[in-house]
Amino acid sequence: MSFDPHIAVTRFGAGLSPHHALPSDVASILAEAAAGDPLAARWPLMKLQDVIKADEDIRVLSGIAHKKRGTEEADAAKTARKAIFDAMRDAETYDIGGLVARMLAQPYGLGERLVQFWSSHFTVRGRGGALQYGVGTLASVAIRPHIMGRFEDMLLATVMHPIMLLYLDQAQSVGDNSRTAKLRPERGLNENYARELLELHTLGVDGPYTQDDVRELAEVLTGLTFQRGEGTIFREIYTEPGAETVLGKRYYGEELAPIKTVVRDLAAHPATGAHIARKLAVHFVSDTPDEALVAHVAARFVETQGDLAAVMAALLEHPAAWKIERDNVKWPLEYIASSLRVLGMTEAQMAAANVRQIDKIVRRPMVGMGHVWQRPNDPSGLEEEDESWITPQAVASRINWAMNMPRRFGIQLPEPAELLLRIAGPSAPPELAFAVNASESAREAVGLLLASPTFQRR
Amino acid sequence: MTTDLNRRRFLISALAGCSAAASPILTPVTMASAPWDNRVVVIILRGAMDGLDAVRPVGDPDFAGLQDGKLRGGEEEPLMLDNFFALHPALSDLMPLWQAGELSFAHATSTPYRDKRSHFDGQMVLEAGSGNDVDGRPRDGWLNRLMQIAPGVEASTAFAVGRSRMAILDGEGPYSLWEPRTGLNVSPQAERLLELIYHDDPLFRDAATQAFEIVGDIDAEPDPSDEMSADMNMMAEVSGNGSLNAEVAKFVVERLRNETRIATFSINGWDTHVRQGQTLPNRLRGLARTILMLKAGLGPVWSKTSVLVMTEFGRTARINGTGGTDHGTAGAMLMAGGAIRGGRVLGDWPGLRVADLYQGRDLLPTRDIRAYAGWTMRGMFGTSSSDIERVLFPGLELGADPRLLL
């Protein structure tokens, strides 16, 4: 088992494409991912400060609509508020178009796959107001800059992101002995974020922490909160006085210093390395990954204290990463984007799509496939088990999409025989070749190819 | 069509790996065939419902001291269930069921899961039913293990409803999973070719076979009788925001009025860390509506039905600093249906003094929630005690019969 260009772009990239040559080695895939986001200027994603501004504007307008209800001023405020909501909703949809465009434009596409992987690892949901549409800013601010950087920097950036602090209730948590709690005894500690930080983001649920560590970490985090109209701030009067002990180490100090220290310590913990290594191997290679592969990646994580470029190199250099069997199934967004990509759609064609079309071809079909975009039920992230994605109704949704959407979107469909070659190479499974020939129409043949396990697996 | 359906049924059952005893080759298949006449609905509340708020132990002298007056209690008159427990006012729509003996609760109950208080592991333990063993993912869910040992079951006997897989019913035994708002429109030729290209990939093959089968079943079913339509209309009247979607509920009751005997689905959003006084009532009202929709839609079948409402764990006895509660241990479960012996709050009460609380913070579990589920299965489906203690819930001691059913 060794490097294979076909596996390289399907398993570790955005998928096959008639427009991009296959990579010749692992180094070029890693180099592309490390080169950042070349489409940032052409496809600007939503900005965090705009989301915070919209949130504040909505608060002000709601205040006017409430206090002056019955007046023309209130009606104008409601109209203005609706316009902001509509613009935010459109911006969120447009951002999905931006992600698909990136997956069409990048020659290999490991970077976009990593953005999706880490966005799932740090799953958030926008709480209320305009923030519900701003989930994507976590990826732009906290994830994109660090996919080939240091895990501790990524983790700290998520800790500082207002949508994370709101989602996991950190923004409202105050120390039980803080000055705020002394004045307002009903306020106090909320341990939700501390628990998920340990369980989901760093050590993993089997990691070496106890209920006391959760509690003490929650106390370290006090002071970190959200100010409407501003963003993440540190509020001294929320802090629990004194030192706290997390995993046997004492943390104390001024303002953000102990928070930053504990976050960096958690990021570098060997249990975090083991947790992240397994998640990467499961996501990219197999739900039941080779233990030697996991150990190899985990060791690199620990050696380099979470240098993600080195960690990804460790994953891609290991022979078990190149196993022939395609154990995993594409996630819904990846499935849709790789379908458009293999059909030959270009980034320029994507740029011509309006918000309604993006909604119709990407966001809404994803719901049927089991992924409600940016509206997770809980912070545990997208499922990795293939059985979660290939359920009867999800497979029906994938079949419906494959059969109907590309044509409705006005994509010029390739010749079925050519698409077969593109997807399966010269050694296509005989039943797939037979099915393509036996189809009643070219559209159906293309649909069958996109719906086939050969294309859906990676 | 019939032949085609039977062939598909054979395929799905055979592919689902069920035992020879359950194979339709040996047991003739008809639409109405089902091993039991009783129905069980299992509703999973994901996020950990606060049992101390839903069913308030107002008779416990220490209860008031855990409150800030706004969270559990407030201005609304408590709905006294007996001289100790009061129902959350947002569940008031269920009081007629309580009075009719069609609603019960079990309190101070939990799975064997302890200490890490992770939603995801907690749900895994609840759905696997296998005790506190969370090393790796469990192989299957406890309802699925029932499907593996019960004779004469087929994929349509047990339904998980929704867009996500339900671990409680997942496994080697036959079952169905469907979200009723999904259509599947392909030509008969494309359907055959899809069967061909999925044939050697069990994951895709099983899912697609079932999708085509369910779509075929729904198309093939006769129009509901006038009586059933009338029940459906009543159901529409009680449906509303925050509860099971009316279309989904309609699908659930249609299945249960036909050959389905077990239905399971989940309701999300119970993780009330913040402002529980505002967030929990909506959820509870939705739950009440869901149960009333089932009762209305099931019509005469309601008398043969037992609904179990379970959650992964309870929440802290005290209010946290943000007007909510954090992850705890024991909580409450709800049982409803015409088949149950209602009007009771079951379970030994552990008390709420600090020394009584689990680790000084959570309601102490006094009975394994699996015992209530086990006794329900025994009474509704005649599952033997040894199968319950060894197969469904390994390591469980069923204990004294709580006499859950009529």
Side-chain angles (χ1 to χ4, degrees), chain A residues 21-45:
Chain A
L22 291 170
S24 52
D25 53 27
V26 163
S28 49
I29 300 170
L30 294 170
E32 182 194 274
D37 183 12
L39 266 73
R42 275 176 56 74
W43 286 89
L45 299 168

Side-chain angles (χ1 to χ4, degrees), chain B residues 30-43:
Chain B
T30 63
M31 290 294 283
S33 85
W36 322 284
D37 196 31
N38 285 335
R39 274 77 164 173
V40 169
V41 179
V42 180
I43 304 174

